[in-house]
Amino acid sequence: MSNLPKIGDKKSLTQKAYDAIKEAILLNQLKPGELLKEEKLAESLVISRTPIRSALKQLSYEHLVTINSSRNMIVSTITQKDIEELYVVREALELATVRELKGRITNENIRVLEGILSRQEQARLEEDYVEYVKLELEFHVSLAKYTRNKWIIEMSSTVHTIVQRYLVLSGSLKKHSSAASEEHRRILAAIAEGDFEKAEQLMFEHIDKVKNRILT
């Protein structure tokens, strides 16, 4: 747990503990099945156990930590069934997102998305896959935000947080990042052209390909 950053006092300690532990899980610094002892986390983050306990409770709602058969808190494990079930939800959510963008997304929104993809491509070229996967999350969550549908926005944030973790754990980022980046660009180009049927089809294909990359 030496990779966890030291915590200051500008934000609430619970929020900072939550942010630090969550990032460590998403980047696989805290690994599936790893025991999460409050006292060790508190020592690593240089805070008391109370905010750690609150942060772990919050992370359990997001399915990033769970309680094992010994009643200990651990980093959630991932099965093939978990991935397949999540991708049923992700497919429905992403296609709904594209449909909801019609008549709502603006030229300024598109410029922001283009900027995200440019930064993601730079991260890929620099082989900075930590930054790459963060921008993957930002791209898809931004698409959801521009629907202005509060339920899509909320569910997208939850789903893509888990997807981010799956991508890191799969070890497929370096091999498939170029293809994934191209798929993003084609989806955004179709949206920019106002061809939402094409964008929806391209999104469907992208989601299916990402699922297969994670599973193989």
Side-chain angles (χ1 to χ4, degrees):
M1 297 183 184
S2 59
N3 290 324
L4 293 175
K6 301 299 181 288
I7 284 183
D9 58 359
K10 291 184 179 180
K11 282 202 285 189
S12 81
L13 290 178
T14 294
Q15 183 62 43
K16 296 203 78 172
Y18 164 83
D19 290 343
I21 298 167
K22 181 176 181 177
E23 180 162 304
I25 292 171
L26 293 179
L27 298 181
N28 202 31
Q29 293 165 351
L30 292 172
K31 301 184 183 301
E34 186 168 341
L35 188 62
L36 298 172
K37 292 187 176 181
E38 290 178 9
E39 59 271 24
K40 287 189 176 180
L41 289 167
E43 180 181 347
S44 180
L45 295 171
V46 196
I47 56 174
S48 71
R49 291 173 60 176
T50 299
I52 296 293
R53 189 175 302 116
S54 298
L56 291 176
K57 184 176 182 180
Q58 189 173 348
L59 289 164
S60 72
Y61 296 146
E62 298 179 8
H63 308 288
L64 292 175
V65 305
T66 190
I67 298 174
N68 66 10
S69 57
S70 301
R71 307 302 298 170
N72 294 315
M73 193 73 79
I74 62 169
V75 178
S76 297
T77 57
I78 296 171
T79 66
Q80 180 171 326
K81 185 172 183 287
D82 291 329
I83 296 170
E84 290 172 345
E85 289 181 346
L86 180 74
Y87 266 79
V88 170
V89 176
R90 186 184 181 191
E91 179 185 302
L93 181 61
E94 296 276 30
L95 298 186
T97 295
V98 173
R99 288 193 294 272
E100 287 287 291
L101 286 171
K102 188 174 182 179
R104 298 184 181 187
I105 194 166
T106 67
N107 290 334
E108 176 58 29
N109 296 156
I110 290 169
R111 283 192 289 272
V112 171
L113 291 164
E114 288 171 343
I116 294 170
L117 294 187
S118 293
R119 287 186 284 130
Q120 188 182 44
E121 178 62 10
Q122 187 60 38
R124 185 186 74 80
L125 293 172
E126 295 173 359
E127 297 190 355
D128 183 352
Y129 294 107
V130 170
E131 182 67 12
Y132 180 93
V133 78
K134 286 180 179 179
L135 290 164
E136 173 84 16
L137 175 71
E138 185 176 346
F139 176 71
H140 285 282
V141 172
S142 294
L143 284 174
K145 181 176 71 174
Y146 297 143
T147 68
R148 305 175 208 168
N149 181 316
K150 65 180 181 180
W151 301 111
I152 287 179
I153 295 167
E154 181 177 336
M155 288 187 285
S156 181
S157 180
T158 300
V159 166
H160 284 97
T161 293
I162 304 300
V163 169
Q164 182 182 359
R165 185 179 179 216
Y166 288 0
L167 287 170
V168 172
L169 289 173
S170 72
S172 66
L173 283 170
K174 184 173 183 178
K175 181 178 180 181
H176 297 296
S177 60
S178 179
S181 293
E182 178 60 27
E183 289 157 17
H184 290 156
R185 285 192 291 270
R186 291 175 65 201
I187 292 165
L188 184 55
I191 291 171
E193 292 165 3
D195 190 343
F196 289 90
E197 286 188 11
K198 180 180 179 182
E200 191 173 339
Q201 179 60 34
L202 289 170
M203 182 65 83
F204 173 80
E205 293 170 2
H206 172 61
I207 299 308
D208 188 57
K209 288 174 181 175
V210 174
K211 180 183 72 173
N212 290 332
R213 289 166 192 156
I214 290 173
L215 289 172
T216 56

mmCIF file of all heavy atoms in Angstrom, residues 101-134:
data_model
loop_
_atom_site.group_PDB
_atom_site.id
_atom_site.type_symbol
_atom_site.label_atom_id
_atom_site.label_comp_id
_atom_site.label_asym_id
_atom_site.label_seq_id
_atom_site.Cartn_x
_atom_site.Cartn_y
_atom_site.Cartn_z
ATOM 1 N N LEU A 101 -28.431 12.376 -27.596
ATOM 2 C CA LEU A 101 -27.605 13.520 -27.999
ATOM 3 C C LEU A 101 -28.222 14.303 -29.156
ATOM 4 O O LEU A 101 -27.929 15.484 -29.339
ATOM 5 C CB LEU A 101 -26.202 13.044 -28.401
ATOM 6 C CG LEU A 101 -25.275 12.622 -27.259
ATOM 7 C CD1 LEU A 101 -24.025 11.967 -27.823
ATOM 8 C CD2 LEU A 101 -24.906 13.810 -26.389
ATOM 9 N N LYS A 102 -29.056 13.638 -29.926
ATOM 10 C CA LYS A 102 -29.644 14.290 -31.097
ATOM 11 C C LYS A 102 -30.437 15.517 -30.673
ATOM 12 O O LYS A 102 -31.330 15.446 -29.836
ATOM 13 C CB LYS A 102 -30.555 13.304 -31.840
ATOM 14 C CG LYS A 102 -31.065 13.838 -33.173
ATOM 15 C CD LYS A 102 -31.843 12.765 -33.930
ATOM 16 C CE LYS A 102 -32.309 13.289 -35.287
ATOM 17 N NZ LYS A 102 -33.046 12.245 -36.046
ATOM 18 N N GLY A 103 -30.103 16.653 -31.266
ATOM 19 C CA GLY A 103 -30.791 17.893 -30.959
ATOM 20 C C GLY A 103 -30.330 18.558 -29.676
ATOM 21 O O GLY A 103 -30.841 19.628 -29.316
ATOM 22 N N ARG A 104 -29.380 17.947 -28.980
ATOM 23 C CA ARG A 104 -28.939 18.496 -27.696
ATOM 24 C C ARG A 104 -27.452 18.869 -27.696
ATOM 25 O O ARG A 104 -27.071 19.854 -27.081
ATOM 26 C CB ARG A 104 -29.213 17.491 -26.570
ATOM 27 C CG ARG A 104 -30.685 17.180 -26.408
ATOM 28 C CD ARG A 104 -30.936 16.267 -25.238
ATOM 29 N NE ARG A 104 -32.369 15.963 -25.120
ATOM 30 C CZ ARG A 104 -32.916 15.296 -24.126
ATOM 31 N NH1 ARG A 104 -32.158 14.842 -23.140
ATOM 32 N NH2 ARG A 104 -34.215 15.062 -24.091
ATOM 33 N N ILE A 105 -26.630 18.045 -28.354
ATOM 34 C CA ILE A 105 -25.201 18.318 -28.341
ATOM 35 C C ILE A 105 -24.903 19.559 -29.178
ATOM 36 O O ILE A 105 -25.519 19.780 -30.225
ATOM 37 C CB ILE A 105 -24.399 17.093 -28.837
ATOM 38 C CG1 ILE A 105 -22.922 17.252 -28.493
ATOM 39 C CG2 ILE A 105 -24.623 16.838 -30.318
ATOM 40 C CD1 ILE A 105 -22.118 15.975 -28.633
ATOM 41 N N THR A 106 -23.983 20.381 -28.699
ATOM 42 C CA THR A 106 -23.648 21.632 -29.369
ATOM 43 C C THR A 106 -22.272 21.541 -30.027
ATOM 44 O O THR A 106 -21.491 20.624 -29.745
ATOM 45 C CB THR A 106 -23.635 22.792 -28.366
ATOM 46 O OG1 THR A 106 -22.532 22.603 -27.451
ATOM 47 C CG2 THR A 106 -24.949 22.867 -27.586
ATOM 48 N N ASN A 107 -21.978 22.521 -30.874
ATOM 49 C CA ASN A 107 -20.657 22.580 -31.499
ATOM 50 C C ASN A 107 -19.556 22.734 -30.454
ATOM 51 O O ASN A 107 -18.465 22.166 -30.601
ATOM 52 C CB ASN A 107 -20.585 23.732 -32.502
ATOM 53 C CG ASN A 107 -21.429 23.467 -33.738
ATOM 54 O OD1 ASN A 107 -21.681 22.322 -34.110
ATOM 55 N ND2 ASN A 107 -21.888 24.531 -34.383
ATOM 56 N N GLU A 108 -19.847 23.481 -29.410
ATOM 57 C CA GLU A 108 -18.860 23.645 -28.335
ATOM 58 C C GLU A 108 -18.624 22.317 -27.626
ATOM 59 O O GLU A 108 -17.476 21.971 -27.291
ATOM 60 C CB GLU A 108 -19.341 24.697 -27.330
ATOM 61 C CG GLU A 108 -18.420 24.874 -26.124
ATOM 62 C CD GLU A 108 -16.995 25.261 -26.504
ATOM 63 O OE1 GLU A 108 -16.786 25.905 -27.553
ATOM 64 O OE2 GLU A 108 -16.083 24.889 -25.729
ATOM 65 N N ASN A 109 -19.695 21.554 -27.403
ATOM 66 C CA ASN A 109 -19.541 20.223 -26.803
ATOM 67 C C ASN A 109 -18.643 19.351 -27.664
ATOM 68 O O ASN A 109 -17.767 18.635 -27.158
ATOM 69 C CB ASN A 109 -20.894 19.533 -26.660
ATOM 70 C CG ASN A 109 -21.866 20.218 -25.731
ATOM 71 O OD1 ASN A 109 -23.078 20.042 -25.862
ATOM 72 N ND2 ASN A 109 -21.381 21.019 -24.793
ATOM 73 N N ILE A 110 -18.850 19.397 -28.961
ATOM 74 C CA ILE A 110 -18.056 18.586 -29.888
ATOM 75 C C ILE A 110 -16.589 18.998 -29.841
ATOM 76 O O ILE A 110 -15.687 18.143 -29.857
ATOM 77 C CB ILE A 110 -18.622 18.686 -31.312
ATOM 78 C CG1 ILE A 110 -19.967 17.945 -31.374
ATOM 79 C CG2 ILE A 110 -17.641 18.098 -32.349
ATOM 80 C CD1 ILE A 110 -20.757 18.173 -32.631
ATOM 81 N N ARG A 111 -16.331 20.298 -29.736
ATOM 82 C CA ARG A 111 -14.942 20.756 -29.630
ATOM 83 C C ARG A 111 -14.281 20.242 -28.352
ATOM 84 O O ARG A 111 -13.106 19.869 -28.351
ATOM 85 C CB ARG A 111 -14.890 22.285 -29.684
ATOM 86 C CG ARG A 111 -15.065 22.846 -31.085
ATOM 87 C CD ARG A 111 -14.711 24.322 -31.151
ATOM 88 N NE ARG A 111 -15.697 25.140 -30.474
ATOM 89 C CZ ARG A 111 -16.796 25.634 -31.050
ATOM 90 N NH1 ARG A 111 -17.052 25.367 -32.326
ATOM 91 N NH2 ARG A 111 -17.635 26.382 -30.366
ATOM 92 N N VAL A 112 -15.053 20.219 -27.264
ATOM 93 C CA VAL A 112 -14.520 19.679 -26.004
ATOM 94 C C VAL A 112 -14.171 18.197 -26.172
ATOM 95 O O VAL A 112 -13.104 17.733 -25.752
ATOM 96 C CB VAL A 112 -15.523 19.870 -24.853
ATOM 97 C CG1 VAL A 112 -15.058 19.122 -23.600
ATOM 98 C CG2 VAL A 112 -15.699 21.353 -24.535
ATOM 99 N N LEU A 113 -15.066 17.445 -26.797
ATOM 100 C CA LEU A 113 -14.830 16.018 -27.023
ATOM 101 C C LEU A 113 -13.622 15.789 -27.929
ATOM 102 O O LEU A 113 -12.838 14.858 -27.707
ATOM 103 C CB LEU A 113 -16.081 15.374 -27.620
ATOM 104 C CG LEU A 113 -17.284 15.290 -26.664
ATOM 105 C CD1 LEU A 113 -18.559 15.007 -27.449
ATOM 106 C CD2 LEU A 113 -17.063 14.222 -25.602
ATOM 107 N N GLU A 114 -13.477 16.629 -28.939
ATOM 108 C CA GLU A 114 -12.305 16.525 -29.821
ATOM 109 C C GLU A 114 -11.022 16.761 -29.024
ATOM 110 O O GLU A 114 -10.005 16.086 -29.256
ATOM 111 C CB GLU A 114 -12.415 17.541 -30.957
ATOM 112 C CG GLU A 114 -13.465 17.173 -31.996
ATOM 113 C CD GLU A 114 -13.718 18.271 -33.003
ATOM 114 O OE1 GLU A 114 -13.342 19.440 -32.736
ATOM 115 O OE2 GLU A 114 -14.306 17.970 -34.064
ATOM 116 N N GLY A 115 -11.084 17.700 -28.080
ATOM 117 C CA GLY A 115 -9.925 17.961 -27.228
ATOM 118 C C GLY A 115 -9.581 16.767 -26.351
ATOM 119 O O GLY A 115 -8.400 16.436 -26.165
ATOM 120 N N ILE A 116 -10.610 16.101 -25.826
ATOM 121 C CA ILE A 116 -10.380 14.904 -25.006
ATOM 122 C C ILE A 116 -9.699 13.823 -25.835
ATOM 123 O O ILE A 116 -8.728 13.195 -25.390
ATOM 124 C CB ILE A 116 -11.710 14.376 -24.424
ATOM 125 C CG1 ILE A 116 -12.290 15.378 -23.426
ATOM 126 C CG2 ILE A 116 -11.506 13.015 -23.747
ATOM 127 C CD1 ILE A 116 -13.706 15.057 -22.991
ATOM 128 N N LEU A 117 -10.189 13.612 -27.055
ATOM 129 C CA LEU A 117 -9.602 12.570 -27.905
ATOM 130 C C LEU A 117 -8.188 12.934 -28.338
ATOM 131 O O LEU A 117 -7.333 12.038 -28.486
ATOM 132 C CB LEU A 117 -10.486 12.321 -29.125
ATOM 133 C CG LEU A 117 -11.869 11.729 -28.832
ATOM 134 C CD1 LEU A 117 -12.571 11.371 -30.138
ATOM 135 C CD2 LEU A 117 -11.761 10.500 -27.934
ATOM 136 N N SER A 118 -7.906 14.211 -28.531
ATOM 137 C CA SER A 118 -6.541 14.632 -28.866
ATOM 138 C C SER A 118 -5.593 14.337 -27.713
ATOM 139 O O SER A 118 -4.468 13.840 -27.921
ATOM 140 C CB SER A 118 -6.509 16.125 -29.197
ATOM 141 O OG SER A 118 -7.208 16.392 -30.385
ATOM 142 N N ARG A 119 -6.042 14.632 -26.494
ATOM 143 C CA ARG A 119 -5.206 14.340 -25.320
ATOM 144 C C ARG A 119 -5.039 12.841 -25.116
ATOM 145 O O ARG A 119 -3.970 12.365 -24.712
ATOM 146 C CB ARG A 119 -5.815 14.986 -24.071
ATOM 147 C CG ARG A 119 -5.638 16.502 -24.036
ATOM 148 C CD ARG A 119 -6.125 17.092 -22.734
ATOM 149 N NE ARG A 119 -7.563 17.159 -22.661
ATOM 150 C CZ ARG A 119 -8.301 16.712 -21.654
ATOM 151 N NH1 ARG A 119 -7.727 16.111 -20.623
ATOM 152 N NH2 ARG A 119 -9.617 16.832 -21.666
ATOM 153 N N GLN A 120 -6.085 12.085 -25.435
ATOM 154 C CA GLN A 120 -5.989 10.629 -25.311
ATOM 155 C C GLN A 120 -4.988 10.074 -26.320
ATOM 156 O O GLN A 120 -4.198 9.179 -25.997
ATOM 157 C CB GLN A 120 -7.359 9.983 -25.498
ATOM 158 C CG GLN A 120 -7.332 8.487 -25.183
ATOM 159 C CD GLN A 120 -8.666 7.826 -25.401
ATOM 160 O OE1 GLN A 120 -9.342 8.073 -26.400
ATOM 161 N NE2 GLN A 120 -9.059 6.961 -24.485
ATOM 162 N N GLU A 121 -5.011 10.599 -27.545
ATOM 163 C CA GLU A 121 -4.065 10.143 -28.558
ATOM 164 C C GLU A 121 -2.631 10.481 -28.148
ATOM 165 O O GLU A 121 -1.715 9.668 -28.343
ATOM 166 C CB GLU A 121 -4.395 10.785 -29.911
ATOM 167 C CG GLU A 121 -3.442 10.427 -31.035
ATOM 168 C CD GLU A 121 -3.419 8.944 -31.376
ATOM 169 O OE1 GLU A 121 -4.282 8.178 -30.884
ATOM 170 O OE2 GLU A 121 -2.517 8.538 -32.138
ATOM 171 N N GLN A 122 -2.434 11.649 -27.560
ATOM 172 C CA GLN A 122 -1.098 12.010 -27.082
ATOM 173 C C GLN A 122 -0.645 11.060 -25.981
ATOM 174 O O GLN A 122 0.518 10.631 -25.948
ATOM 175 C CB GLN A 122 -1.101 13.453 -26.567
ATOM 176 C CG GLN A 122 0.275 13.991 -26.200
ATOM 177 C CD GLN A 122 1.240 13.991 -27.364
ATOM 178 O OE1 GLN A 122 0.860 14.277 -28.502
ATOM 179 N NE2 GLN A 122 2.498 13.669 -27.098
ATOM 180 N N ALA A 123 -1.559 10.721 -25.084
ATOM 181 C CA ALA A 123 -1.229 9.759 -24.022
ATOM 182 C C ALA A 123 -0.865 8.410 -24.613
ATOM 183 O O ALA A 123 0.071 7.737 -24.145
ATOM 184 C CB ALA A 123 -2.409 9.623 -23.058
ATOM 185 N N ARG A 124 -1.578 8.009 -25.655
ATOM 186 C CA ARG A 124 -1.265 6.731 -26.305
ATOM 187 C C ARG A 124 0.128 6.749 -26.917
ATOM 188 O O ARG A 124 0.901 5.796 -26.762
ATOM 189 C CB ARG A 124 -2.306 6.424 -27.384
ATOM 190 C CG ARG A 124 -2.138 5.050 -28.030
ATOM 191 C CD ARG A 124 -3.103 4.862 -29.180
ATOM 192 N NE ARG A 124 -2.711 5.633 -30.353
ATOM 193 C CZ ARG A 124 -1.775 5.242 -31.213
ATOM 194 N NH1 ARG A 124 -1.118 4.111 -31.028
ATOM 195 N NH2 ARG A 124 -1.490 5.996 -32.257
ATOM 196 N N LEU A 125 0.457 7.844 -27.603
ATOM 197 C CA LEU A 125 1.763 7.954 -28.244
ATOM 198 C C LEU A 125 2.892 7.956 -27.214
ATOM 199 O O LEU A 125 3.995 7.460 -27.480
ATOM 200 C CB LEU A 125 1.826 9.224 -29.096
ATOM 201 C CG LEU A 125 0.915 9.237 -30.332
ATOM 202 C CD1 LEU A 125 0.923 10.616 -30.991
ATOM 203 C CD2 LEU A 125 1.318 8.151 -31.327
ATOM 204 N N GLU A 126 2.608 8.503 -26.056
ATOM 205 C CA GLU A 126 3.598 8.537 -24.978
ATOM 206 C C GLU A 126 3.564 7.275 -24.120
ATOM 207 O O GLU A 126 4.328 7.155 -23.168
ATOM 208 C CB GLU A 126 3.354 9.768 -24.100
ATOM 209 C CG GLU A 126 3.589 11.082 -24.833
ATOM 210 C CD GLU A 126 3.195 12.307 -24.024
ATOM 211 O OE1 GLU A 126 2.714 12.129 -22.877
ATOM 212 O OE2 GLU A 126 3.367 13.429 -24.522
ATOM 213 N N GLU A 127 2.663 6.340 -24.480
ATOM 214 C CA GLU A 127 2.468 5.084 -23.747
ATOM 215 C C GLU A 127 2.146 5.339 -22.271
ATOM 216 O O GLU A 127 2.553 4.591 -21.386
ATOM 217 C CB GLU A 127 3.669 4.154 -23.905
ATOM 218 C CG GLU A 127 3.892 3.725 -25.351
ATOM 219 C CD GLU A 127 4.920 2.614 -25.502
ATOM 220 O OE1 GLU A 127 5.542 2.224 -24.491
ATOM 221 O OE2 GLU A 127 5.085 2.122 -26.629
ATOM 222 N N ASP A 128 1.394 6.411 -22.041
ATOM 223 C CA ASP A 128 0.922 6.724 -20.701
ATOM 224 C C ASP A 128 -0.496 6.177 -20.582
ATOM 225 O O ASP A 128 -1.480 6.889 -20.773
ATOM 226 C CB ASP A 128 0.936 8.245 -20.489
ATOM 227 C CG ASP A 128 0.523 8.654 -19.072
ATOM 228 O OD1 ASP A 128 0.078 7.773 -18.307
ATOM 229 O OD2 ASP A 128 0.618 9.852 -18.740
ATOM 230 N N TYR A 129 -0.595 4.894 -20.240
ATOM 231 C CA TYR A 129 -1.897 4.236 -20.272
ATOM 232 C C TYR A 129 -2.741 4.540 -19.037
ATOM 233 O O TYR A 129 -3.954 4.333 -19.065
ATOM 234 C CB TYR A 129 -1.709 2.732 -20.476
ATOM 235 C CG TYR A 129 -1.130 2.462 -21.845
ATOM 236 C CD1 TYR A 129 0.196 2.055 -22.000
ATOM 237 C CD2 TYR A 129 -1.889 2.681 -23.000
ATOM 238 C CE1 TYR A 129 0.735 1.851 -23.269
ATOM 239 C CE2 TYR A 129 -1.356 2.492 -24.259
ATOM 240 C CZ TYR A 129 -0.037 2.077 -24.388
ATOM 241 O OH TYR A 129 0.493 1.899 -25.639
ATOM 242 N N VAL A 130 -2.120 5.058 -17.988
ATOM 243 C CA VAL A 130 -2.896 5.550 -16.852
ATOM 244 C C VAL A 130 -3.722 6.753 -17.296
ATOM 245 O O VAL A 130 -4.934 6.839 -17.063
ATOM 246 C CB VAL A 130 -1.977 5.925 -15.669
ATOM 247 C CG1 VAL A 130 -2.771 6.657 -14.587
ATOM 248 C CG2 VAL A 130 -1.326 4.679 -15.094
ATOM 249 N N GLU A 131 -3.062 7.705 -17.977
ATOM 250 C CA GLU A 131 -3.768 8.881 -18.490
ATOM 251 C C GLU A 131 -4.739 8.489 -19.593
ATOM 252 O O GLU A 131 -5.852 9.022 -19.678
ATOM 253 C CB GLU A 131 -2.755 9.899 -19.021
ATOM 254 C CG GLU A 131 -3.374 11.199 -19.536
ATOM 255 C CD GLU A 131 -4.019 12.033 -18.440
ATOM 256 O OE1 GLU A 131 -3.809 11.745 -17.237
ATOM 257 O OE2 GLU A 131 -4.750 12.981 -18.792
ATOM 258 N N TYR A 132 -4.340 7.546 -20.424
ATOM 259 C CA TYR A 132 -5.186 7.101 -21.538
ATOM 260 C C TYR A 132 -6.532 6.600 -21.028
ATOM 261 O O TYR A 132 -7.594 6.975 -21.546
ATOM 262 C CB TYR A 132 -4.483 5.998 -22.329
ATOM 263 C CG TYR A 132 -5.284 5.487 -23.502
ATOM 264 C CD1 TYR A 132 -5.119 6.018 -24.769
ATOM 265 C CD2 TYR A 132 -6.230 4.465 -23.342
ATOM 266 C CE1 TYR A 132 -5.853 5.566 -25.855
ATOM 267 C CE2 TYR A 132 -6.979 4.012 -24.414
ATOM 268 C CZ TYR A 132 -6.781 4.551 -25.667
ATOM 269 O OH TYR A 132 -7.535 4.103 -26.729
ATOM 270 N N VAL A 133 -6.511 5.769 -20.011
ATOM 271 C CA VAL A 133 -7.762 5.172 -19.534
ATOM 272 C C VAL A 133 -8.600 6.197 -18.775
ATOM 273 O O VAL A 133 -9.835 6.138 -18.785
ATOM 274 C CB VAL A 133 -7.477 3.912 -18.683
ATOM 275 C CG1 VAL A 133 -7.031 4.253 -17.274
ATOM 276 C CG2 VAL A 133 -8.700 2.997 -18.638
ATOM 277 N N LYS A 134 -7.955 7.176 -18.144
ATOM 278 C CA LYS A 134 -8.713 8.254 -17.503
ATOM 279 C C LYS A 134 -9.471 9.067 -18.558
ATOM 280 O O LYS A 134 -10.621 9.470 -18.343
ATOM 281 C CB LYS A 134 -7.769 9.160 -16.713
ATOM 282 C CG LYS A 134 -7.252 8.554 -15.419
ATOM 283 C CD LYS A 134 -6.336 9.525 -14.700
ATOM 284 C CE LYS A 134 -5.818 8.932 -13.388
ATOM 285 N NZ LYS A 134 -4.906 9.859 -12.681
#
